[in-house]
Amino acid sequence: MTKPTNEQALGLYERMLLIRRMEEKLSADAAAGILPGAVHLYIGQEAVAAGVCMQLKDTDWITSTHRGHGHFLAKGGDPKAMMAEIWGKKTGICRGMGGSMHVADLTKGILGANGIVGAGLAIATGAAFGAELRKEGRVSIWFFGDGAANQGVLMECLNVSSLWGLPIVYVCEHNRFCEFTRAEQVTSGEIADRARAFKIHTQVVDGNDVEAVWAATAEAVDRCRRDQGPCFIEASTYRIKGHMEF
């Protein structure tokens, strides 16, 4: 496995620590009853966002989930603008109209988090299709959870991305819970097999090992940039906090 340099390892640590501290602040504000709405915290999954996004450029695209703060910060989103958005302020990244579940920044390639389970998939696949048509060398990433792995749109997008050789990496953050339900109660089989069925290059990694995520993403992104088609990473992780806090 390729190892990050000391400088890269420090960058990974800094991104993970930033995510954890920001989420802890939101958790404390929620417990104090002063947040204007609910938040879905990313605590426990920091290694996935950091390991993936450290391999990306600002020109690469990502789409996220309702639990999207970590992805936003790992991709270089402004922490102050994110907090302002969550607090409903006009200085927020979406001028306070998107809230916690819809943080976005097109200047950083962040096409947005999404409150609908699985909704970011078609957006990310569409972005990859555009990049392929323009031969831009861009890569598209879709972060999703094990719950979204059961959405029909996943099969549709895996199919077209494989057929058309799109530069997209599907990153499943398998945190073992679909909202409040354990994954094994609602998910049959292995999630990674969904991608293998479409002949997509697939890796299963320890999502709590940031170096493993970083190395897997390096290979996947390189394959996409060399026009070798889509890739799929299943990162096994764990959500330490509850489904949401308010």
Side-chain angles (χ1 to χ4, degrees):
M1 181 179 74
T2 304
K3 293 282 187 178
T5 65
N6 289 340
E7 183 179 359
Q8 290 168 330
L10 180 60
L12 289 167
Y13 173 74
E14 288 174 341
R15 293 192 192 199
M16 288 192 294
L17 185 61
L18 173 63
I19 296 167
R20 177 62 66 95
R21 292 292 179 261
M22 293 285 285
E23 298 291 71
E24 287 175 341
K25 170 60 175 171
L26 288 171
S27 180
D29 288 346
I34 57 177
L35 274 183
V39 288
H40 300 78
L41 300 180
Y42 195 70
I43 292 176
Q45 301 178 210
E46 296 90 348
V48 182
V52 171
C53 290
M54 274 285 287
Q55 295 289 1
L56 304 178
K57 304 174 182 177
D58 283 351
T59 51
D60 293 323
W61 304 113
I62 70 166
T63 63
S64 183
T65 71
H66 56 279
R67 200 175 306 283
H69 306 157
H71 308 137
F72 179 87
L73 295 169
K75 190 63 165 62
D78 182 356
K80 291 183 179 180
M82 186 190 87
M83 278 297 199
E85 184 62 34
I86 293 171
W87 282 87
K89 297 181 179 180
K90 65 180 180 180
T91 53
I93 197 65
C94 297
R95 300 186 179 181
M97 295 183 285
S100 172
M101 292 191 289
H102 297 96
V103 289
D105 185 349
L106 298 185
T107 68
K108 295 292 185 180
I110 305 168
L111 296 178
N114 206 302
I116 301 173
V117 175
L121 174 53
I123 298 170
T125 304
F129 183 45
E132 177 66 16
L133 289 176
R134 297 183 182 92
K135 301 299 181 183
E136 297 172 324
R138 286 180 167 180
V139 174
S140 184
I141 306 286
W142 179 46
F143 290 101
F144 67 106
D146 41 282
N150 297 325
Q151 298 291 319
V153 67
L154 174 63
M155 307 308 157
E156 297 173 25
C157 290
L158 290 175
N159 184 55
V160 298
S161 67
S162 179
L163 283 173
W164 298 342
L166 301 185
I168 182 169
V169 183
Y170 300 99
V171 180
C172 177
E173 298 181 288
H174 194 343
N175 64 20
R176 309 299 164 185
F177 281 94
C178 302
E179 293 191 356
F180 310 100
T181 306
R182 291 196 60 85
E184 60 265 24
Q185 294 181 264
V186 293
T187 300
S188 178
E190 299 297 324
I191 291 175
D193 286 342
R194 289 157 167 72
R196 294 187 180 109
F198 293 95
K199 300 180 181 179
I200 291 175
H201 178 74
T202 302
Q203 300 179 77
V204 178
V205 299
D206 180 354
N208 292 333
D209 182 340
V210 69
E211 291 188 359
V213 177
W214 182 87
T217 307
E219 180 183 354
V221 168
D222 180 64
R223 289 177 63 94
C224 287
R225 296 205 199 282
R226 289 189 287 112
D227 204 26
Q228 293 188 346
C231 295
F232 189 100
I233 297 173
E234 181 185 330
S236 180
T237 183
Y238 193 79
R239 167 165 54 84
I240 294 174
K241 303 291 285 187
H243 173 60
M244 64 179 180
E245 299 189 10
F246 55 91

